[in-house]
Amino acid sequence: MADKATLTLGGKTIELPLIVGTEGEVGIDISKLRAETGAITFDPGYGNTGSCASAITFIDGEKGILRYRGIPIEQFVNHPDFIEVAMLIINGELPKRADRERFRDKLADNAHLHEGMKHHFDGFPSGAPPMAILSAMINALFCYDQNFSDPESDESFEDSAARLMSKVRTIAAYSYRSSKGLPYNYPDPKLLYCGNFLHMMFSMPHRPYEVDPDIEDALNLVLILHADHEQNCSTSTVRMVGSAQANLYASVAAGVCALWGPLHGGANVAVIEMLESIRKGGLKPEECIKLAKQKDSGFRLMGFGHRVYKNFDPRSRILKNACDKVLGKLGVKDPLLDIARKLEELALNDPYFVDRKLYPNVDFYSGIILRALGIPLDMFTVMFAIGRMPGWIGQWKEQHDTPGGRIYRPRQIYTGPTIRDYVPMDKR
Ligand code: CMC
């Protein structure tokens, strides 16, 4: 392939350099386009825009491939250790045993919240959305950690990553306990990452919670499958905010807000609401499919479709298999699983979905597993956020470490009124 693209505009021909990734993906570098032609590219929704070069996650949406730092996502299924994957994503390599131990100790040492932070939970009204609490509390956390982080030092950054990952888990559990009026459980340093979360969520005073290893494994797997997904909406938000040299906490707090939306991480709640409404008889699966095809209905088949995957989302395949395994092990019979399977079958045989290459995405089956683990519905997107922490942290760090980074600042094509005069109030 030529190493340049040629563009002719208004009688002028210019050459645009190409950038080629390690998997052969080609990008046309248009950074000089406006200076040389006066024109910009127009790509609403950024479907064809590469905002950065990144060495973290590779997706081939046509083939349904997802790899973290080169390792196919399927290879983590039999090694469900979220922290190992987090270290891979943040640092670039699987940790050696000593590194793993060191990071584990940092997670354990940093799991508690400053006692002052506990009072912040009292300020939220009951019924406050946990994603709002999570985002607000991550910014609050920075107020206690202001002098802590030095992104220029790898060791200090690892400390920050451990603090953030560990404390976000505690914040999540405390927001649940607070919403239910239950006493907070202090983290138990003897427990591993997921076990400690389950303990903080479900232990009751004088009735210690035994962490079930099957539940712990399933939770590790769910978090691994959410750990990174290259330049999606929330990660691009983290990078957008980070590009202004905002600190890691502020950037991640913004990412939480983006993830909250029902077209992004909030879809895992919307899927269960949709399945529930079918179970309660409000909607038949066939009607649901029909409604999703009517553009004016405003209804979409939640958990279906993806900007990048035009094939099965590999995470949904893994989660579908895991549903059978996890529910079987835990002895849970969930009617929503049958409804989900039925919807999938209907959609995959319907020309509307086939022609548009709409397949189940990560959110279609994840909620069924989270329900089986006892996680309440309004915490589902928070679980996604806990899982996505390594991705946000790793992407923020990669952006920070990339020389020549510029503030993100897209342009626009202005379509408003051309110049006109101000009209005083009494003449309007
Ligand atoms: N139900 C019905 N029609 C759909 C759906 C759906 N779930 N998804 C896409 N379409 C249609 C869309 O209307 C368009 O139709 P047409 O060509 O006739 O105008 C066509 O399929 C192509 O859509 P698109 O432009 O490729 O979609 P997009 O890339 O702008 O949006 C999406 C991607 C994920 C937001 C969208 O598929 C959707 O809304 N899905 C439901 C919400 C959901 O499950 N979100 C989770 C995404 S995966 C995890 C994550 O990111 O957090």
Side-chain angles (χ1 to χ4, degrees):
M1 185 192 289
D3 58 355
K4 286 185 172 57
T6 308
L7 177 83
T8 304
L9 188 69
K12 186 178 174 194
T13 298
I14 59 158
E15 287 188 325
L16 300 166
L18 301 183
I19 170 164
V20 184
T22 49
E23 291 286 345
E25 291 168 303
V26 179
I28 302 172
D29 179 349
I30 52 101
S31 50
K32 300 268 185 306
L33 179 68
R34 187 169 180 279
E36 295 198 12
T37 66
I40 60 167
T41 55
F42 186 63
D43 184 21
Y46 306 135
N48 289 291
T49 295
S51 61
C52 62
S54 175
I56 301 179
T57 290
F58 173 70
I59 300 176
D60 183 329
E62 275 67 38
K63 295 192 182 130
I65 290 173
L66 169 60
R67 298 181 197 138
Y68 296 152
R69 300 282 189 183
I71 303 178
I73 189 83
E74 291 77 11
Q75 293 190 16
F76 298 108
V77 174
N78 296 324
H79 310 280
D81 180 345
F82 174 57
I83 296 309
E84 196 177 68
V85 171
M87 294 186 74
L88 169 72
I89 286 174
I90 295 170
N91 301 330
E93 294 297 338
L94 286 167
K96 295 202 164 56
R97 196 177 300 277
D99 301 328
R100 173 72 179 81
E101 298 292 317
R102 186 186 65 247
F103 198 67
R104 178 181 298 171
D105 289 347
K106 287 185 182 180
L107 290 168
D109 292 347
N110 287 296
H112 57 279
L113 298 182
H114 189 287
E115 285 295 304
M117 271 195 80
K118 287 204 311 204
H119 303 299
H120 291 269
F121 289 101
D122 301 337
F124 294 101
S126 68
M131 288 296 273
I133 300 179
L134 183 65
S135 176
M137 292 299 278
I138 291 173
N139 270 321
L141 188 59
F142 179 72
C143 304
Y144 294 87
D145 275 13
Q146 281 184 64
N147 299 320
F148 197 83
S149 176
D150 171 12
E152 306 308 330
S153 139
D154 283 348
E155 199 190 333
S156 169
F157 189 79
E158 183 179 275
D159 289 348
S160 299
R163 283 170 80 84
L164 200 47
M165 281 187 58
S166 195
K167 288 180 195 296
V168 156
R169 168 193 54 173
T170 310
I171 291 170
Y174 279 23
S175 67
Y176 166 69
R177 302 290 291 193
S178 161
S179 72
K180 293 279 174 258
L182 296 168
Y184 301 125
N185 291 315
Y186 284 102
D188 179 346
K190 291 192 296 302
L191 295 173
L192 297 181
Y193 190 85
C194 288
N196 214 344
F197 173 74
L198 293 164
H199 149 72
M200 286 190 275
M201 285 283 288
F202 301 123
S203 282
M204 293 302 283
H206 309 297
R207 260 195 289 148
Y209 174 85
E210 282 291 322
V211 177
D212 179 331
D214 290 332
I215 295 191
E216 204 174 2
D217 277 357
L219 186 55
N220 267 290
L221 179 63
V222 170
L223 297 184
I224 287 171
L225 295 177
H226 289 87
D228 191 50
H229 213 238
E230 47 117 312
Q231 307 313 318
N232 56 82
C233 178
S234 58
T235 302
S236 294
T237 302
V238 169
R239 280 186 178 255
M240 168 74 81
V241 177
S243 78
Q245 295 184 0
N247 67 70
L248 175 65
Y249 294 64
S251 308
V252 165
V256 170
C257 293
L259 187 72
W260 191 0
L263 295 188
H264 193 9
N268 62 8
V269 174
V271 168
I272 296 296
E273 286 169 348
M274 178 182 78
L275 299 177
E276 272 291 7
S277 126
I278 295 174
R279 186 184 68 82
K280 289 183 184 144
L283 200 64
K284 291 198 171 47
E286 292 76 7
E287 289 167 348
C288 188
I289 296 289
K290 200 171 151 200
L291 212 55
K293 296 192 285 183
Q294 285 167 12
K295 297 283 176 202
D296 55 359
S297 70
F299 178 85
R300 285 193 158 196
L301 186 59
M302 300 312 283
F304 256 73
H306 199 278
R307 173 62 60 81
V308 178
Y309 292 118
K310 302 300 165 200
N311 198 327
F312 278 90
D313 177 339
R315 302 167 301 174
S316 79
R317 281 189 203 269
I318 296 173
L319 284 164
K320 187 179 180 187
N321 289 337
C323 274
D324 291 329
K325 212 167 126 198
V326 172
L327 270 62
K329 264 190 183 171
L330 300 176
V332 173
K333 177 90 191 76
D334 189 342
L336 298 196
L337 180 55
D338 298 329
I339 297 171
R341 284 204 196 98
K342 176 74 185 163
L343 274 179
E344 180 183 339
E345 187 196 319
L346 289 171
L348 295 183
N349 287 297
D350 188 304
Y352 174 95
F353 292 90
V354 174
D355 294 349
R356 288 170 178 76
K357 299 190 168 77
L358 302 172
Y359 292 87
N361 61 48
V362 67
D363 294 313
F364 197 64
Y365 286 106
S366 63
I368 294 174
I369 297 192
L370 291 173
R371 267 161 72 91
L373 304 186
I375 308 291
L377 181 61
D378 64 356
M379 289 290 288
F380 283 13
T381 316
V382 171
M383 301 310 295
F384 193 150
I386 297 175
R388 187 51 57 87
M389 289 305 296
W392 290 334
I393 294 170
Q395 299 267 355
W396 188 95
K397 175 82 167 126
E398 183 178 65
Q399 180 185 44
H400 181 88
D401 290 352
T402 303
R406 298 175 81 196
I407 191 165
Y408 277 26
R409 206 310 187 176
R411 290 198 176 251
Q412 63 166 16
I413 299 291
Y414 175 70
T415 58
T418 51
I419 188 163
R420 54 186 179 145
D421 288 327
Y422 174 83
V423 182
M425 183 71 81
D426 55 357
K427 299 240 167 65
R428 284 176 213 165

